[in-house]
Amino acid sequence: MKKIHLLLLMFFISTVLFAQEKINVVVIGAHPDDCDIDAGGTAIEFARAGHNVLFVSLTNGDAGHFSKGGGALAKIRRAEAQEAGKRFGVKYIVLDNHDGELMPTLDVRLNVIRLIRQWNADVVIGPRPNDYHPDHRNTATLIQDAAYMVIVPNIAPDTPPLKKNPVFLYTEDNFQKPYPFQPDIVVDITDAFDQKIYSMAAHESQFFEWLPWTSGKLDEVPKTEKERLKWLANWRKPRINDKERQALVKWYGEDRGNQIKYAEAFEICEYGSQPTDDEIRKLFPMLKK
Amino acid sequence: MKKIHLLLLMFFISTVLFAQEKINVVVIGAHPDDCDIDAGGTAIEFARAGHNVLFVSLTNGDAGHFSKGGGALAKIRRAEAQEAGKRFGVKYIVLDNHDGELMPTLDVRLNVIRLIRQWNADVVIGPRPNDYHPDHRNTATLIQDAAYMVIVPNIAPDTPPLKKNPVFLYTEDNFQKPYPFQPDIVVDITDAFDQKIYSMAAHESQFFEWLPWTSGKLDEVPKTEKERLKWLANWRKPRINDKERQALVKWYGEDRGNQIKYAEAFEICEYGSQPTDDEIRKLFPMLKK
Amino acid sequence: MKKIHLLLLMFFISTVLFAQEKINVVVIGAHPDDCDIDAGGTAIEFARAGHNVLFVSLTNGDAGHFSKGGGALAKIRRAEAQEAGKRFGVKYIVLDNHDGELMPTLDVRLNVIRLIRQWNADVVIGPRPNDYHPDHRNTATLIQDAAYMVIVPNIAPDTPPLKKNPVFLYTEDNFQKPYPFQPDIVVDITDAFDQKIYSMAAHESQFFEWLPWTSGKLDEVPKTEKERLKWLANWRKPRINDKERQALVKWYGEDRGNQIKYAEAFEICEYGSQPTDDEIRKLFPMLKK
Amino acid sequence: MKKIHLLLLMFFISTVLFAQEKINVVVIGAHPDDCDIDAGGTAIEFARAGHNVLFVSLTNGDAGHFSKGGGALAKIRRAEAQEAGKRFGVKYIVLDNHDGELMPTLDVRLNVIRLIRQWNADVVIGPRPNDYHPDHRNTATLIQDAAYMVIVPNIAPDTPPLKKNPVFLYTEDNFQKPYPFQPDIVVDITDAFDQKIYSMAAHESQFFEWLPWTSGKLDEVPKTEKERLKWLANWRKPRINDKERQALVKWYGEDRGNQIKYAEAFEICEYGSQPTDDEIRKLFPMLKK
Amino acid sequence: MKKIHLLLLMFFISTVLFAQEKINVVVIGAHPDDCDIDAGGTAIEFARAGHNVLFVSLTNGDAGHFSKGGGALAKIRRAEAQEAGKRFGVKYIVLDNHDGELMPTLDVRLNVIRLIRQWNADVVIGPRPNDYHPDHRNTATLIQDAAYMVIVPNIAPDTPPLKKNPVFLYTEDNFQKPYPFQPDIVVDITDAFDQKIYSMAAHESQFFEWLPWTSGKLDEVPKTEKERLKWLANWRKPRINDKERQALVKWYGEDRGNQIKYAEAFEICEYGSQPTDDEIRKLFPMLKK
Amino acid sequence: MKKIHLLLLMFFISTVLFAQEKINVVVIGAHPDDCDIDAGGTAIEFARAGHNVLFVSLTNGDAGHFSKGGGALAKIRRAEAQEAGKRFGVKYIVLDNHDGELMPTLDVRLNVIRLIRQWNADVVIGPRPNDYHPDHRNTATLIQDAAYMVIVPNIAPDTPPLKKNPVFLYTEDNFQKPYPFQPDIVVDITDAFDQKIYSMAAHESQFFEWLPWTSGKLDEVPKTEKERLKWLANWRKPRINDKERQALVKWYGEDRGNQIKYAEAFEICEYGSQPTDDEIRKLFPMLKK
């Protein structure tokens, strides 16, 4: 059961882990690898500082492959996610919904609400509702639909509500309509980049099989792990655009802000708590001038 | 049955009520209190001038409370809505859908269509599809999905279609994405404000229990009715921003427009009839220079 | 709105109509004409004695025809049902669900519950869950699913619950599996037969168009009303089998029981109240030795 | 598209194939192999006599395996069904619904209706609604729900209705509740048995992988094709019980009836046309004394 | 999360608890109190002998009350179930589905499958699909739909499948159609009866509020705990009919079988494993001559 | 069956038709006439140059009429679409979903995916998700949800995936929110205009009955075909706005661009392939300076 290990963890070490200075972050993606791509570096920064990060994949990834599928593929994807979680230093939960068939139902929404509550989330991170993949768009809708409802006690009454609506953040995308992504918070992940790539690489069936296949470069995938990491790093290194550079300067100061090599950007969703800059600095302690 | 009293009303006095000069307004919200907050003052203005206003809550409010719930709460909410309707001078209907679980289904859409038709609506008012509460967003979708379909006779064939697509209006919110609220029509509710607060106060379990609880100020709620009204008025008094002031001047003239203290603003939805300024003045006779 | 006229009726004359000796009967069918065929004679007997009978069609009959369909057909069917109701002396409600597409959803179930409660039913009559038409089977399921729930106040909390679970009865059919129909109650409709046929004949698009078409005898349908009634009577006269004759003797005594020409039979559903013979005689006062 | 080859077939040779003496049979199962097991021998008898048999699997078989799954498995299953169809001499269609998740929805029901109509079916064969696998039970419900509706022109109006409700038959099972299978028609398949086994063997992933795995005898499966056929024949040879023997004597006469080695039995479903014995002999010309 | 404590338990002591002689039993009901009524005594017998019993309520009981409801009631019901579980010596899980609205969806079915697998069930016990309450009937359908599927690895691939289909049993009811309950296994609960009543009494809102209310005897409910237990015992003591007495003699021998005062009866469902008498004695070690 | 003729076509002449220079275009609308209005001229241009155009109506048009409806109307609409297809020189498929009730379900999405794949589409054209009719908005959602998924082999595994995500285009509308239509590609249809009107006129029940009725000009509709075409041309001639004129100049050069009388405009959807200008010229060979 996906929620088990998480709960075990919570049971034993909640008094330790969720002590007052700890920040609890939930990253939600559609597929086992989406959280990694969109917020993996930031997750590493949180984890290194002792905060608690949960990755959730709303589908079990049982469709995205050219030669495997179904429950058989779901088991591979789940194992890869467990390994990735270890490398990132986060807890990784894979829900058992069909890949490519995620719909914004009340059932899935309630499970998202439960997970956010159980992690006692301060920050929830996920995609914007505009993206190329319907599962991504529906993931965004499901997260939006969980915002605010996480504090309503009669909704999912089996799980105690949060005291406060978390800050909800969107991860970066390149879509311009109906409006372009706005990098409100940008995190320096330069130091975390190698670990991010190494952690992502745990999703072998994604990064070395399925995604190269869809890009027509399956035959380019190197054979050795070392070369694979290099190849993946090259393929997946994020570029920093002007607005993001500006934000980096805002959050890290002129000097560091201009030198940062790799970053992950986030937009504040209007349906969660609206943090001030000071509150952002508390929630994202790595933002330091 | 929610549609009963409305129908009774229609049956007996339709020839009287729906005479040619009467304007028929339907305000639709997600919860018993949403119509009140968003368009209560305007409804009072319409009602005072002898027009016909219907408030509809698409859910029965059976979840939004910290210690009550279910059918037991729904009965309280329904009774509060009846009392609020009396105070506003409007008909108040509460549909029996679960609070916090409203989905944009065909069934609910068809009921929205029926209600708009039965009221012979000239104007339909409801939230924009971007808002912090999923029930609000789904309410907006349901209203949009009823627009135009109200004139198609084969849809909900048990209820005769309207001759003309009504004007559909959005109520004000502060959300900026994907685009900010545009105050096309702004109504002076200064004279109606006290009655609006008094009418809203009928929703005791909302304004003096649940909403203060979610804002962490349950202990601030006064005990006496008089103090409660004052407290509610202070909490819920609308602020007029620049764009709204501009619109007030447009509709009420320079003098009055600049002195108006309280107002409610509406944006014209693109899916209903698109009224000219003259038509707006006919539909909103209170807009007078 | 389908529930309107019913409610109007209830509002004005409930004190009169629902006085202590009146029995309230709800007959539920899938299509506009099913109640008529299955319990029309019994309804006439109830109505003649001043009791209150409601016929409900769960679908609007918008599919069962060879050349008409949709909302256009639904309007014809509704008008025919109104006329039939007048002839039977009962109230006839037609719900607006698609014919041939009735599913046992929670939404329809809740509407069935509301109607049974509003009529303050002592007896509810409908088909068995085995029958040749999927709409009939789903009607049976919906009625079964309303039994008992009609007394639970938190279910459909907008409509006050019944104080007591009504007696639920199945109408006769010829299906043998999983077990044959058991005629617990059999009502002499000999005197009501002509009126039953005349009332059924109001469903012109059913008895003189669609049903003859499906039986390949559209060209046999007579032209004049008088001949049509005779033809319909001949086609639709019920036959009395041995078990039914036995029951007639039980309820009406040896003499009358053996002479009865036309009858309608009912089986007691195990999910409603289980009446004793004495209670049955009170609920069916026409059963007299 | 699953309905394509069937249609091609119909287009070119319908005048030939569907000439007056041809009988059109549709066998419907839940999984690619169910039709084969339940009615494969009878299908061979029909096909040998030049009649038209269609096998339909309502799911794509994408779950029933211990190491494969999803679309990848569905493709294997579809190919195996094509091969089986060739061996049986029937057309084999595999619908693309998830295995293990078949629900009796309106969508699937309408597709069943369309297929029965397109094949101009005289006989429709499928499981009873009681069986150990939920997909089987739901298949039975879907077939029952298609009966009669196949003649209603406004249902699935894109496909012309049948002129007459076909005979619907249940295939044999051993379940006793709510009532045991009743062998109304029993077909001698002794001569067809070897071909039936050979045809079934085309479903390699079923009969030599999945089904042995669930029975704990995966290691018993022989390696060579010849041995596999023998092993499968031994495993899957039907036994004739007393009621079936009686029916065989009725249909085939005392002599042959008592000597028949292998048979397939069918029960007449009450929701289709109710054939007389003479009509049964016309629909099943292989029943000869 | 409902599955948490169960899992914790499993994690730590599975090696101990699920040692070879332990029998794992899952009892599934619709509401928090159904398992107790139907199999509480048998559960006590299993628990006393060191076996593992899980009670599951598929709904959260948020409707069945005359003055409370929703999440507020669900929390009371959950707490009562926890207390009842302690008294019975079983694990008690309450799923978070709405009471009175349980539908046999794929989602709930999959959760039932997961729970049966996690408990590594040898025996699964639940209601028959005919019963007065729609939630009970749908519970039965959901359990039937889980049978066999619990061994299919690609269904709910996040939870490892069982090696063997458990024995599925129906609990006793009085419904005669389509066929009466058949007491295949009858367990002597005379010694467990007092503990059963005491354990049931933990559901205060059920046995001392809601159920007396529906029976019109709310004012009969005693005030003191001692009297309440006596009153409940008197109300809820099971009667032993002839067929059950026969079965008791079969399982316990002539002497004891005839003296047993209280018993619980079970019918073997045809969709699970079909145990021999010897296997039944192994699964129900309390059956001893 | 709607997919039949298409498939027949594909089977016989795919080697010819889909030769390397042919461009395959799928236009998808909600109702039988939407494709015609939005992209009919462009379709004619493609067809004249020997390319392959498929029109798909996601609903069967069984509601949009004042006096007809249901399956009876659907048959008329289907026949009109066939005739329109002939006049346009395109294949016209009408899916059998209810008009006015189209929902963005997984089932419809998968059928859209299958059709796009079967046509081996290079370009897919449909409405934007903002429009006055809910069926139009849901059509847009369904097309967006098909983008990318058309290349995933495990989704709709019965239909081989495309090798490449097509270019997805939106057709023109006048809605301004959340952002106005952007004419990325504008096609000169001046030469095709008469044929477009003639082809559209095949939808008699739309352009000469239903749409005039909704506009209150049913009595203006001329009687003779010649006058009807003129009347329709006048009613439906597209106007070219400034942004579109600019685009025409870009694609056709200053001279021709400024003289073009009638045009159809398209916006590139961000979820399909993002073509360069060169690629656009290859996909739209009629764009020539």
Side-chain angles (χ1 to χ4, degrees), chain A residues 1-5 7-8 11-12 60 62 69-75 78 94-97 105 107-108 110-111 114-115 118 153-159 161, chain E residues 1-5 7-8 11-12 60 62 69-75 78 94-97 105 107-108 110-111 114 118 153-161:
Chain A
M1 192 93 262
K2 56 239 163 207
K3 296 137 204 160
I4 292 163
H5 298 290
L7 265 295
L8 265 174
F11 186 82
F12 287 112
N60 60 14
D62 67 355
L73 179 56
K75 279 172 224 159
R78 183 174 304 274
V94 178
L95 297 188
D96 201 31
N97 300 299
T105 64
D107 272 335
V108 182
L110 289 170
N111 282 331
R114 288 186 185 105
L115 286 167
Q118 288 165 351
N154 277 334
I155 299 300
D158 58 348
T159 313
Chain E
M1 194 92 262
K2 55 243 165 203
K3 296 139 206 158
I4 292 164
H5 299 289
L7 265 296
L8 265 174
F11 186 81
F12 287 112
N60 61 14
D62 66 355
L73 179 56
K75 278 172 225 160
R78 182 174 304 274
V94 179
L95 297 189
D96 202 31
N97 300 300
T105 64
D107 272 335
V108 183
L110 289 169
N111 283 330
R114 287 184 184 105
Q118 287 164 352
N154 277 333
I155 299 300
D158 59 348
T159 312

Side-chain angles (χ1 to χ4, degrees), chain B residues 103-174:
Chain B
M103 299 300 276
T105 64
L106 198 53
D107 272 335
V108 183
R109 187 207 290 181
L110 289 169
N111 282 332
V112 170
I113 289 171
R114 287 184 185 106
L115 286 167
I116 293 172
R117 288 175 174 178
Q118 287 165 353
W119 202 251
N120 196 20
D122 301 298
V123 177
V124 177
I125 300 176
R128 294 204 303 164
N130 41 314
D131 198 305
Y132 74 99
H133 195 305
D135 286 352
H136 295 191
R137 295 193 290 275
N138 285 334
T139 295
T141 299
L142 286 159
I143 299 173
Q144 290 182 345
D145 289 354
Y148 180 74
M149 302 314 282
V150 291
I151 70 161
V152 180
N154 277 334
I155 299 299
D158 58 349
T159 313
L162 294 184
K163 296 248 165 61
K164 200 192 159 206
N165 201 8
V167 171
F168 283 75
L169 300 177
Y170 294 127
T171 56
E172 186 180 1
D173 61 65
N174 292 315

Side-chain angles (χ1 to χ4, degrees), chain D residues 180-247:
Chain D
F181 175 80
Q182 171 181 315
D184 294 316
I185 301 171
V186 187
V187 176
D188 177 1
I189 65 156
T190 313
D191 285 353
F193 184 67
D194 286 352
Q195 185 180 343
K196 178 179 176 179
I197 291 298
Y198 171 66
S199 305
M200 283 167 62
H203 300 280
E204 288 190 23
S205 70
Q206 301 270 22
F207 290 109
F208 305 126
E209 300 177 9
W210 169 239
L211 293 172
W213 185 88
T214 63
S215 315
K217 49 184 175 186
L218 191 54
D219 51 355
E220 293 178 17
V221 178
K223 298 291 171 244
T224 71
E225 202 202 335
K226 200 179 153 191
E227 280 176 303
R228 284 186 165 199
L229 292 179
K230 202 173 148 195
W231 179 84
L232 184 61
N234 191 53
W235 182 23
R236 290 289 169 165
K237 62 169 177 271
R239 253 133 285 161
I240 296 173
N241 65 27
D242 287 355
K243 281 202 284 182
E244 285 161 5
R245 183 63 70 192
Q246 238 173 307

Side-chain angles (χ1 to χ4, degrees), chain D:
Chain D
M1 195 94 259
K2 57 244 166 201
K3 296 138 206 158
I4 291 165
H5 299 291
L6 159 60
L7 265 296
L8 265 173
L9 196 69
M10 290 177 66
F11 186 82
F12 287 112
I13 44 175
S14 60
T15 47
V16 179
L17 264 187
F18 298 124
Q20 71 265 31
E21 297 96 359
K22 300 298 180 193
I23 296 153
N24 303 317
V25 180
V26 176
V27 187
I28 303 176
H31 308 105
D33 76 349
D34 284 340
C35 296
D36 316 49
I37 297 172
D38 289 341
T42 304
I44 289 167
E45 294 292 342
F46 273 115
R48 284 181 181 173
H51 303 293
N52 309 302
V53 182
L54 172 68
F55 278 11
V56 180
S57 171
L58 294 189
T59 78
N60 61 15
D62 65 355
H65 204 275
F66 48 93
S67 68
K68 299 164 189 165
L73 179 56
K75 280 172 224 159
I76 293 169
R77 292 270 153 88
R78 184 175 304 274
E80 291 173 348
Q82 297 319 310
E83 174 61 21
K86 275 187 216 151
R87 298 184 184 183
F88 275 114
V90 311
K91 177 76 200 160
Y92 212 128
I93 287 180
V94 179
L95 297 189
D96 201 30
N97 299 299
H98 283 310
D99 180 8
E101 303 188 358
L102 185 70
M103 299 299 275
T105 65
L106 199 53
D107 272 335
V108 183
R109 185 207 291 180
L110 289 169
N111 282 332
V112 170
I113 289 172
R114 287 185 184 105
L115 286 167
I116 293 172
R117 288 175 174 177
Q118 288 164 354
W119 201 253
N120 195 22
D122 300 299
V123 177
V124 177
I125 300 176
R128 293 203 304 163
N130 41 314
D131 198 306
Y132 75 99
H133 195 305
D135 286 353
H136 295 191
R137 294 193 290 275
N138 286 333
T139 295
T141 299
L142 287 159
I143 299 173
Q144 290 183 344
D145 290 354
Y148 180 75
M149 304 314 283
V150 292
I151 70 161
V152 181
N154 278 334
I155 299 299
D158 58 349
T159 312
L162 294 185
K163 296 246 165 62
K164 200 192 158 206
N165 201 10
V167 171
F168 284 75
L169 300 177
Y170 294 128
T171 56
E172 186 180 1
D173 62 64
N174 292 315
F175 297 95
Q176 302 298 310
K177 294 170 187 170
Y179 69 95
F181 175 80
Q182 171 181 315
D184 294 316
I185 301 171
V186 187
V187 176
D188 177 1
I189 65 156
T190 313
D191 285 353
F193 184 67
D194 286 352
Q195 185 180 343
K196 178 179 176 179
I197 291 298
Y198 171 66
S199 305
M200 283 167 62
H203 300 280
E204 288 190 23
S205 70
Q206 301 270 22
F207 290 109
F208 305 126
E209 300 177 9
W210 169 239
L211 293 172
W213 185 88
T214 63
S215 315
K217 49 184 175 186
L218 191 54
D219 51 355
E220 293 178 17
V221 178
K223 298 291 171 244
T224 71
E225 202 202 335
K226 200 179 153 191
E227 280 176 303
R228 284 186 165 199
L229 292 179
K230 202 173 148 195
W231 179 84
L232 184 61
N234 191 53
W235 182 23
R236 290 289 169 165
K237 62 169 177 271
R239 253 133 285 161
I240 296 173
N241 65 27
D242 287 355
K243 281 202 284 182
E244 285 161 5
R245 183 63 70 192
Q246 238 173 307
L248 284 170
V249 166
K250 168 184 171 183
W251 292 111
Y252 287 97
E254 191 79 29
D255 277 10
R256 179 166 169 194
N258 276 314
Q259 286 163 16
I260 287 166
K261 202 166 154 200
Y262 300 127
E264 285 168 352
F266 305 97
E267 173 177 334
I268 297 167
C269 165
E270 295 188 287
Y271 304 154
S273 282
Q274 300 299 296
T276 63
D277 279 8
D278 277 358
E279 284 165 341
I280 290 172
R281 287 195 185 277
K282 270 182 203 137
L283 290 169
F284 284 75
M286 65 285 278
L287 300 175
K288 277 186 217 135
K289 295 209 187 188

Side-chain angles (χ1 to χ4, degrees), chain B:
Chain B
M1 192 92 264
K2 59 244 164 201
K3 295 136 206 162
I4 291 164
H5 299 290
L6 159 59
L7 265 295
L8 265 173
L9 196 68
M10 289 178 66
F11 185 82
F12 288 111
I13 44 175
S14 61
T15 47
V16 179
L17 264 188
F18 298 123
Q20 72 265 31
E21 298 95 0
K22 300 298 180 193
I23 296 152
N24 304 317
V25 180
V26 177
V27 187
I28 303 176
H31 308 105
D33 78 347
D34 285 340
C35 296
D36 316 49
I37 297 171
D38 289 341
T42 304
I44 290 167
E45 294 292 341
F46 272 115
R48 284 180 182 172
H51 302 293
N52 309 303
V53 182
L54 172 68
F55 279 12
V56 180
S57 171
L58 294 188
T59 77
N60 61 15
D62 66 355
H65 203 276
F66 48 93
S67 68
K68 298 164 189 164
L73 179 56
K75 280 172 223 160
I76 294 169
R77 291 271 153 88
R78 183 174 303 274
E80 291 174 349
Q82 297 319 311
E83 174 61 23
K86 276 186 214 153
R87 297 184 185 183
F88 275 114
V90 310
K91 176 78 201 159
Y92 211 127
I93 287 180
V94 178
L95 297 189
D96 201 31
N97 299 299
H98 282 310
D99 181 8
E101 302 188 0
L102 185 69
M103 299 300 276
T105 64
L106 198 53
D107 272 335
V108 183
R109 187 207 290 181
L110 289 169
N111 282 332
V112 170
I113 289 171
R114 287 184 185 106
L115 286 167
I116 293 172
R117 288 175 174 178
Q118 287 165 353
W119 202 251
N120 196 20
D122 301 298
V123 177
V124 177
I125 300 176
R128 294 204 303 164
N130 41 314
D131 198 305
Y132 74 99
H133 195 305
D135 286 352
H136 295 191
R137 295 193 290 275
N138 285 334
T139 295
T141 299
L142 286 159
I143 299 173
Q144 290 182 345
D145 289 354
Y148 180 74
M149 302 314 282
V150 291
I151 70 161
V152 180
N154 277 334
I155 299 299
D158 58 349
T159 313
L162 294 184
K163 296 248 165 61
K164 200 192 159 206
N165 201 8
V167 171
F168 283 75
L169 300 177
Y170 294 127
T171 56
E172 186 180 1
D173 61 65
N174 292 315
F175 298 94
Q176 302 299 309
K177 294 170 186 172
Y179 70 95
F181 176 80
Q182 171 183 313
D184 294 316
I185 300 171
V186 187
V187 175
D188 178 1
I189 65 156
T190 314
D191 286 352
F193 184 68
D194 286 352
Q195 185 181 343
K196 177 179 176 179
I197 292 298
Y198 171 66
S199 305
M200 283 166 63
H203 300 280
E204 289 190 24
S205 70
Q206 300 271 22
F207 290 109
F208 305 125
E209 300 176 11
W210 168 239
L211 294 172
W213 185 88
T214 63
S215 314
K217 49 185 175 185
L218 190 55
D219 51 356
E220 293 178 18
V221 178
K223 298 290 171 247
T224 70
E225 201 202 336
K226 201 179 151 189
E227 279 177 303
R228 283 187 165 201
L229 292 179
K230 203 173 146 195
W231 179 83
L232 184 62
N234 190 54
W235 182 24
R236 290 289 169 166
K237 62 168 177 272
R239 254 131 286 161
I240 295 173
N241 65 27
D242 288 355
K243 281 201 285 183
E244 285 161 4
R245 184 62 71 192
Q246 237 173 306
L248 283 170
V249 166
K250 169 183 171 182
W251 292 111
Y252 288 96
E254 192 79 30
D255 278 10
R256 180 167 169 193
N258 276 315
Q259 286 163 15
I260 287 166
K261 204 166 152 198
Y262 301 126
E264 285 168 352
F266 305 97
E267 173 178 333
I268 297 167
C269 164
E270 296 188 287
Y271 304 154
S273 282
Q274 300 299 295
T276 64
D277 278 9
D278 278 359
E279 285 164 342
I280 290 173
R281 287 195 185 278
K282 269 182 204 137
L283 290 170
F284 285 76
M286 65 286 278
L287 299 176
K288 278 187 215 133
K289 295 211 187 187

Side-chain angles (χ1 to χ4, degrees), chain A residues 257-272:
Chain A
N258 276 315
Q259 284 162 16
I260 287 165
K261 203 166 154 201
Y262 300 126
E264 285 169 351
F266 305 98
E267 174 179 332
I268 298 168
C269 165
E270 295 188 288
Y271 304 155

